[in-house]
Amino acid sequence: MKGCLVCVFVFLVASRAFFEEVGAAGECGKTPIRSAATSLSPCLSSARNVRAKVPPTCCTKVGALISTAPKCLCAVLLSPLAKQAGINPAIAITIPKRCKIRNRRAGKKCGRYVVP
């Protein structure tokens, strides 16, 4: 009987994790954060160097992300994926301003950073 309860408990925990992963609507909506991060690959050099010119494709991707899921950009910039890619969040958070995106979350916090 005890073994059966353990099996049921393990099943419930595993299925909960599966359903949270599949159906979760986090900061990026239903888009997995890895996909959101990958879509911002044109921004890599600009996210590492504040003096690097921001490519128009990066601005387009960032603008689209901000208009569909405003908190997603912050979630991506603070994710372990961004850290692994060598992205500096303090620099990356300036990309919307450098792109002259008007509807950016200016003055809002992104972790310990404030969006310019």
Side-chain angles (χ1 to χ4, degrees):
M1 181 71 172
K2 188 177 181 180
C4 184
L5 287 175
V6 171
C7 289
V8 168
F9 177 74
V10 170
F11 172 76
L12 289 174
V13 170
S15 62
R16 180 175 180 211
F18 172 76
F19 287 114
E20 284 179 4
E21 179 69 27
V22 171
E27 301 295 346
C28 297
K30 291 192 176 193
T31 303
I33 197 161
R34 181 176 295 277
S35 297
T38 302
S39 75
L40 297 175
S41 62
C43 305
L44 271 174
S45 62
S46 306
R48 294 179 182 148
N49 181 355
V50 75
R51 291 186 181 92
K53 185 178 186 296
V54 183
T57 53
C58 170
C59 293
T60 301
K61 299 280 187 177
V62 169
L65 190 60
I66 288 173
S67 59
T68 57
K71 294 181 181 179
C72 184
L73 181 61
C74 183
V76 169
L77 298 180
L78 298 178
S79 72
L81 294 169
K83 188 174 185 175
Q84 290 172 353
I87 290 172
N88 181 337
I91 293 172
I93 202 71
T94 67
I95 290 175
K97 183 177 182 178
R98 289 159 56 198
C99 288
K100 297 176 178 51
I101 296 173
R102 291 188 182 146
N103 64 335
R104 67 184 186 275
R105 299 174 44 93
K108 303 286 184 187
K109 290 198 116 190
C110 176
R112 62 186 176 126
Y113 308 99
V114 177
V115 179

